[in-house]
Amino acid sequence: MAIHKIDGVDGDANFPKKFVTLYCTGAVTKGDWVQIETDSGVTGYAENGLGASVTKADAVANGNMAVIGVATATKTAAGNLQIQTAGKFVDASVANAVAAGDALVVDDTSAGQAVKMANSDLPGPCGLALEAPSGNLGDVLIIDQGYF
């Protein structure tokens, strides 16, 4: 279990976070939600083995089960990308209609963007909104999906 320290002894911002670096098969913007690459026709699909490549999260009806976290950098082409898979992320891509406390899911609204979870969404949430977003960017807590 991660320990949240606020005493500043080991530095500030010790909020538990988890990162992984994986091969990204295309362009992605910092703050976009990303998913495991599931399209076997894409170059780099199995760059580091099946399940170890990512792409900007697809807009999928009833929620995207493959979402694993948020891109920590902008990439204009394929290559290695650091992804935050758990903890607080500042300025993630979140629909403006979200309110603080809403469970988040990436569904068929917009690729790479989380929205308020609806009753019809099948997978569990990928995050929790910590604030009402501004300009489709908001602070979130990423829920560790346990894949990494």
Side-chain angles (χ1 to χ4, degrees), residues 17-28:
K17 296 180 181 182
K18 189 172 174 185
F19 298 89
V20 63
T21 300
L22 299 172
Y23 184 82
C24 186
T25 60
V28 66

Side-chain angles (χ1 to χ4, degrees), residues 6 9 14 21-22 33 46 60 79-80 93 102 108 113 129 131 133 139:
I6 59 172
V9 172
N14 286 308
T21 300
L22 299 172
W33 292 83
V60 176
N80 286 336
S93 182
D102 283 347
D108 58 352
Q113 186 176 81
E131 64 180 0
D139 295 358

Side-chain angles (χ1 to χ4, degrees), residues 33 67 102-106 117 122-128 142-145:
W33 292 83
V67 173
D102 283 347
L104 301 174
V105 65
V106 176
M117 189 172 181
L122 301 175
C126 59
L128 172 72
I142 302 166
I143 297 172
D144 190 344
Q145 302 298 323

